[in-house]
Amino acid sequence: MIEKRESHVPPVAGEAKEHRTVSRVMTILELVSRSTDGLSLAQLAAALDAPRSSVHYIVKGLVATGYLTENGAYTLGPAVGTLLAAHQPPVDRVARASLESLHRRFDETVTLCIQIGESVVNIDIIESTQPIRFSPALHVRRPLFPSTAGKCFLAYADQRFRDTYLDTHIEETDKRLQAREELDRIARDGIGYASKEVTPDLGGVAVPVFHRDKHVAVLTVAGPRARIDTRLEEIADAAITEARHVAERLTAQ
C-alpha cells in the first residue's frame, strides 16, 4: 500500500510539490512495470488506497495515450518505449534506407508509422517530388480507424483491444462486422490497401514491420489513386520486401 505523506511546513516559493494525480499516475506505471502479468483495476486501487472510480479514470487515460495496455490486466503500453528509445533499436533510423529505396523506385510518398495508444503517428516521411502527391503530417496523432496504417495495427493487435476499440468507435453492427473482416484479411495477407470508401482519390498500401514477434511499425506507400493503381501489385511486393528488410536489420541491432 502506498504510504500517505503529509507536510505541515509551508512550501518555499518555487519548490516542487507533490501532486496527487501525478503521483497516482507515476505510481500506477511503476507498479505495472514491476508486475510480470499486469495488474487489475482492483489491485491498483488497493495499492493506491484510492477509489476504483478515480483509478479507473486515470488508467483509461493511460490506455488511450498508449502508456498502458489493457488485456484482461493492465500492462505497460507502447508509448513507454518512446521514453526509452535509447535502450531499444531505433526503428526510424533502421527503416530509413528502406523508405529511401521505395521513394527512389516509385516517387510516391513513403511513411513509417507507429502506434501510440489509440492513435497512429508518422515518425518519418519522404514525400513524392511530383506536383500532385500525398502530404501527411509528421508527429501528429490520428485515430487508428479508418486509416490504412491504423487498420494494419488493429489487424495485429490483441483481440481484446481490437474488439473494444471497434465496439467503441463504430456504432453500426454491420460496419463493425465489415471492419473485422477487413482486419482479418490484413492479418492473413500481411498487407492493407487504402479503401476507396474512405479515401476515393488516394491509393496506397500499408505493411507491418516486426521486431522478432512484436509488431513495432507500419510502412506505407501512398499517392493519387490514378498512379498507384497502375503499379499496385509492384508497389505491394516492394513494400513487403522492404518491411522484411527492416525487420532483419532490427534483429541484427
Side-chain angles (χ1 to χ4, degrees), residues 170-187:
I170 304 178
E171 295 183 0
E172 299 87 348
T173 302
D174 58 336
K175 290 186 178 181
R176 283 202 304 273
L177 178 60
Q178 292 174 5
R180 287 189 171 92
E181 291 175 348
E182 182 178 6
L183 297 181
D184 288 341
R185 184 200 60 74
I186 292 173

Side-chain angles (χ1 to χ4, degrees), residues 112-125:
L112 184 71
C113 317
I114 61 171
Q115 179 185 348
I116 300 180
E118 296 185 353
S119 303
V120 59
V121 178
N122 297 321
I123 60 171
D124 197 5
I125 300 171

